[in-house]
Amino acid sequence: MELDPDDVFRDEDEDPENEFFQEKEASKEFIVYLIDASPKMFSSTCPSEEEDKQESHFHIAVSCIAQSLKTHIINRSNDEIAICFFNTREKKNLQDLNGVYVFNVPERDCIDRPTARLIKEFDLIEESFDKDIGSQTGIVSDSRENSLYSALWVAQALLRKGSSKTADKRMFLFTNEDDPFGNMRISVKEDMTRTTLQRAKDAQDLGISIELLPLSQPDKQFNITLFYKDLIGLNSDELTEFMPSVGQKLEDMKDQLKKRVLAKRIAKRITFVICDGLSIELNGYALLRPAIPGSITWLDSTTNLPVKVERSYICTDTGAIMQDPIQRIQPYKNQNIMFTVEELSQVKRISTGHLRLLGFKPLSCLKDYHNLKPSTFLYPSDKEVIGSTRAFIALHRSMIQLERFAVAFYGGTTPPRLVALVAQDEIESDGGQVEPPGMNMIYLPYANDIRDIDELHSKPGVAAPRASEDQLKKASALMRRLELKDFSVCQFANPALQRHYAILQAIALDENEVSETRDETLPDEEGMNRPAVVKAIENFRQSIYGDDPDEESDSGAKEKSRKRKAGNADDGKYDYIELAKTGKLKDLTVVELKTYLTANNLPLGGKKEVLINRILTHIGK
């Protein structure tokens, strides 16, 4: 059967003219927010979260953007944004077009990374808007003024910055007017509609996507079919799903968490060696990454500008700055063997970094505990090796059909590993693709990575403790009572990171109070106090510890006492007080220093000097 590799593995929304790797490698975004400032945006209201209070559509648009700007610095700090109002009384744009006002602050380009000053002043834009910018209807009957056309022109000019191959360019359009040319004569309306749609098409031809965020009246739904369906290029099949998705998008902009959104781009390129003379090219994607705070940037205390770190090597004999590359020395038989940095790199390199196939095994041989860390998703690429996709498809389909996984050796800059390549079939639903086809590269453990549970939790010659049937029954009942419905780790935000970013935001924006951080990882106190749950917990506790309520805490105390006594027993090998007096603590190893610290319940973290100082402080020296 003839296969078209592009059709089999292409995403549904992928442009056939663009290569897959180009779309996924876009590492930056340029965004222009277009906000309709006509009087209708101020007069139209919607119920707010507070009771008996209404919010104007203009306030909703501004608050969504303000919240998005605050989280944008965390989500994608390198992205550049611009804010543009149209249907305004004043004008401020490079093209000097009426009815368009580009909002900005000093010492910042029209489209640039968001700054603290921009966010602070935009938060107060509603208070000064009528005085400084003003609102008026820019599209009126019997007039050739077309502020929507002008706004698209200005936004397109702002987005000329950067290359569409390395960055995503988008416009977000906020409006509650579904028929901007509805009050005009037919001839004028047709002309303005044609020119405005052509301006939008020109922008889209340059790789700029236009996203509409319509604001509906409480008693009237925004009718996208009147004009904007053609402007954003919606098909008839997409109309029914558009308005519900818009409502969700607005909620996401208002309520989005402070979290770092990592770009879905290629993490590594891998050459998959199937056999001698046959290799294919794969792209690797990281499916799961740890959420950590951003990297620290050191600033100059006087100018507040980033500090550039430079390193120079100085000869200890002459004091001259060394220009030649630094060489390393290894003593060997009364000689100093010199190595360059490149030579040392080659010595340490065990493998070429290729993925080499070893064979296949049944899927039943792969256990859950074989997965050491988050897997890497593999997808074929024909960028360098033509025909990789076709070979990958044949291998992929055969592995699914025969229920096999591939065992391969993978080594590179990281320690070499045996990996399992598990084929994943495509999963589709009514809404489109849920899971793409490809392979998951699972990192397998070596023999000494797996520990025997019985060996760890038993004494020599004594069998490991086993739970009784009654204890298993009570534990199962407890698990059924506390079962979480529709659980996903993606539902929970890291409270420590939320607090970290909230403090940074308060400092940067000079806010008097730090926004409250909700810890969603805390137990559900109300749910845990339900009678059925309390009974299940009590039954489980009694099956383990009996009727003695202090048994659990006593066992923990006995265990700590046993460890402390063991530490004190090892302590007798050295007289730490005498070693401290004579300054010979530095002669001990880190393990020996930690023996004293463990015996005296002191922290074990830090380098050797820190451990010595901690012991001296405890002794009183």
Side-chain angles (χ1 to χ4, degrees):
M1 181 177 62
E2 292 294 329
L3 299 176
D4 182 356
D6 294 331
D7 287 339
V8 174
F9 281 88
R10 179 185 293 131
D11 292 337
E12 292 182 357
D13 58 348
E14 185 178 345
D15 186 356
E17 297 181 359
N18 291 336
E19 293 186 12
F20 177 79
F21 70 93
Q22 288 181 335
E23 285 195 351
K24 295 303 180 183
E25 283 188 323
S27 58
K28 191 173 185 178
E29 279 192 350
F30 293 90
I31 298 175
V32 176
Y33 294 105
L34 293 174
I35 307 120
D36 188 357
S38 64
K40 187 177 179 180
M41 287 284 289
F42 292 87
S43 59
S44 302
T45 58
C46 288
S48 67
E49 296 180 356
E50 300 179 15
E51 296 182 0
D52 302 329
K53 188 176 180 181
Q54 299 287 321
E55 291 179 343
S56 68
H57 284 167
F58 184 82
H59 172 78
I60 293 174
V62 168
S63 61
C64 284
I65 296 173
Q67 183 61 33
S68 180
L69 289 177
K70 293 176 182 178
T71 57
H72 213 78
I73 298 178
I74 299 169
N75 292 349
R76 301 176 63 92
S77 59
N78 291 326
D79 293 350
E80 301 186 14
I81 63 101
I83 302 172
C84 180
F85 297 98
F86 64 98
N87 287 328
T88 58
R89 182 185 70 243
E90 304 295 332
K91 62 179 179 179
K92 182 183 177 184
N93 55 83
L94 296 178
Q95 291 76 16
D96 198 32
L97 299 173
N98 292 328
V100 180
Y101 191 96
V102 178
F103 178 81
N104 202 8
V105 294
E107 300 178 357
R108 181 181 180 274
D109 294 336
C110 292
I111 182 166
D112 203 348
R113 297 171 62 178
T115 62
R117 183 171 181 180
L118 175 73
I119 296 174
K120 290 171 64 177
E121 295 194 11
F122 188 75
D123 271 338
L124 305 174
I125 188 66
E126 290 184 83
E127 301 176 6
S128 60
F129 185 85
D130 187 59
K131 175 184 176 183
D132 298 337
I133 302 175
S135 171
Q136 70 177 19
T137 302
I139 303 175
V140 295
S141 182
D142 299 326
S143 171
R144 288 291 177 178
E145 289 290 338
N146 187 345
S147 56
L148 177 57
Y149 175 91
S150 301
L152 293 174
W153 188 359
V154 170
Q156 180 180 330
L158 290 171
L159 291 172
R160 287 175 183 169
K161 185 176 182 181
S163 172
S164 59
K165 293 184 178 180
T166 58
D168 290 330
K169 300 183 178 184
R170 295 195 287 170
M171 300 181 194
F172 285 95
L173 178 59
F174 294 82
T175 184
N176 63 354
E177 179 57 75
D178 53 10
D179 191 9
F181 310 116
N183 297 327
M184 295 186 169
R185 287 183 288 111
I186 295 179
S187 59
V188 178
K189 178 179 180 180
E190 290 179 351
D191 181 56
M192 284 199 169
T193 300
R194 178 183 56 80
T195 55
T196 305
L197 293 179
Q198 184 60 44
R199 173 57 64 184
K201 185 178 183 303
D202 292 342
Q204 291 166 343
D205 290 342
L206 294 174
I208 301 172
S209 63
I210 303 176
E211 299 187 26
L212 176 67
L213 293 161
L215 301 166
S216 299
Q217 306 285 348
D219 55 347
K220 180 184 176 184
Q221 183 79 357
F222 190 97
N223 190 352
I224 193 174
T225 61
L226 296 177
F227 172 74
Y228 283 102
K229 175 180 75 72
D230 298 324
L231 186 136
I232 62 178
L234 278 182
N235 298 325
S236 56
D237 298 337
E238 300 170 330
L239 289 176
T240 55
E241 300 178 1
F242 177 76
M243 292 305 296
S245 66
V246 166
Q248 184 61 45
K249 188 178 295 185
L250 283 171
E251 289 298 321
D252 290 343
M253 291 186 69
K254 292 176 64 176
D255 303 327
Q256 55 189 319
L257 293 170
K258 298 179 178 68
K259 59 182 179 181
R260 297 189 69 192
V261 178
L262 300 170
K264 296 180 180 178
R265 57 178 183 267
I266 297 172
K268 61 184 72 175
R269 298 186 186 276
I270 302 173
T271 300
F272 184 25
V273 181
I274 299 177
C275 61
D276 292 339
L278 178 58
S279 301
I280 63 176
E281 181 186 5
L282 302 176
N283 291 332
Y285 299 86
L287 300 180
L288 189 65
R289 301 181 186 178
I292 57 177
S295 59
I296 297 174
T297 301
W298 297 99
L299 304 177
D300 185 88
S301 59
T302 56
T303 62
N304 206 38
L305 296 176
V307 176
K308 182 179 179 181
V309 179
E310 295 182 353
R311 178 187 297 175
S312 298
Y313 291 96
I314 300 176
C315 179
T316 56
D317 297 330
T318 63
I321 297 178
M322 301 180 64
Q323 303 294 337
D324 298 332
I326 303 300
Q327 291 187 326
R328 271 67 173 176
I329 296 176
Q330 174 64 38
Y332 180 74
K333 291 185 177 181
N334 299 325
Q335 296 185 45
N336 290 329
I337 310 300
M338 291 187 295
F339 293 90
T340 63
V341 177
E342 292 77 12
E343 289 173 338
L344 285 177
S345 177
Q346 292 298 325
V347 170
K348 294 179 181 179
R349 183 178 295 275
I350 298 176
S351 174
T352 58
H354 297 322
L355 183 65
R356 180 174 291 276
L357 178 65
L358 300 179
F360 299 91
K361 292 186 72 66
L363 284 173
S364 58
C365 296
L366 191 63
K367 307 301 181 182
D368 292 340
Y369 60 85
H370 288 162
N371 198 353
L372 282 181
K373 60 180 182 178
S375 61
T376 300
F377 186 73
L378 301 180
Y379 203 87
S381 172
D382 287 340
K383 182 182 178 182
E384 298 292 342
V385 182
I386 305 299
S388 295
T389 303
R390 188 177 296 274
F392 185 86
I393 292 173
L395 191 62
H396 176 270
R397 290 187 173 179
S398 297
M399 291 169 62
I400 292 178
Q401 182 179 0
L402 299 175
E403 297 183 351
R404 297 286 193 272
F405 71 91
V407 181
F409 176 80
Y410 178 67
T413 55
T414 58
R417 277 282 173 193
L418 291 178
V419 296
L421 305 182
V422 181
Q424 170 181 298
D425 206 355
E426 183 178 25
I427 302 176
E428 294 181 316
S429 66
D430 296 337
Q433 187 186 75
V434 178
E435 294 288 347
M439 292 188 188
N440 290 293
M441 184 166 71
I442 298 175
Y443 300 88
L444 300 175
Y446 287 111
N448 56 351
D449 290 330
I450 301 177
R451 301 292 185 265
D452 186 0
I453 297 178
D454 291 347
E455 180 181 343
L456 290 176
H457 295 278
S458 63
K459 298 179 181 179
V462 180
R466 301 287 179 180
S468 65
E469 289 296 328
D470 180 64
Q471 292 171 341
L472 290 174
K473 182 179 178 180
K474 297 297 175 57
S476 299
L478 175 62
M479 293 172 65
R480 285 194 295 269
R481 288 294 181 187
L482 296 178
E483 183 178 359
L484 300 176
K485 304 295 184 182
D486 300 324
F487 172 79
S488 172
V489 293
C490 300
Q491 298 172 348
F492 301 92
N494 186 333
L497 283 181
Q498 297 296 295
R499 178 69 176 173
H500 170 78
Y501 288 128
I503 293 173
L504 290 183
Q505 176 181 310
I507 295 174
L509 302 181
D510 293 330
E511 296 175 346
N512 295 328
E513 296 182 359
V514 178
S515 59
E516 183 179 354
T517 301
R518 180 184 175 187
D519 189 352
E520 298 176 336
T521 63
L522 295 176
D524 180 10
E525 297 291 344
E526 182 179 353
M528 297 288 284
N529 289 327
R530 297 199 307 269
V533 175
V534 173
K535 182 179 179 180
I537 295 175
E538 181 61 25
N539 290 339
F540 176 69
R541 190 196 65 79
Q542 286 189 355
S543 68
I544 302 297
Y545 301 108
D547 297 329
D548 186 1
D550 299 327
E551 181 70 22
E552 180 179 2
S553 58
D554 289 346
S555 62
K558 291 176 182 178
E559 179 68 16
K560 291 182 180 179
S561 176
R562 184 184 63 80
K563 291 183 177 179
R564 188 179 300 114
K565 289 179 179 179
N568 287 330
D570 293 338
D571 237 0
K573 295 166 57 178
Y574 299 102
D575 187 346
Y576 287 90
I577 298 178
E578 184 63 28
L579 292 175
K581 290 181 180 179
T582 57
K584 293 183 178 180
L585 284 177
K586 62 180 182 297
D587 297 333
L588 301 181
T589 65
V590 172
V591 175
E592 292 168 339
L593 294 173
K594 288 185 176 181
T595 300
Y596 178 89
L597 296 172
T598 303
N600 293 277
N601 296 325
L602 297 174
L604 304 179
K607 296 184 179 180
K608 186 174 182 179
E609 293 77 6
V610 176
L611 302 181
I612 293 174
N613 291 333
R614 193 171 293 148
I615 294 175
L616 293 174
T617 302
H618 183 262
I619 293 176
K621 294 294 179 180

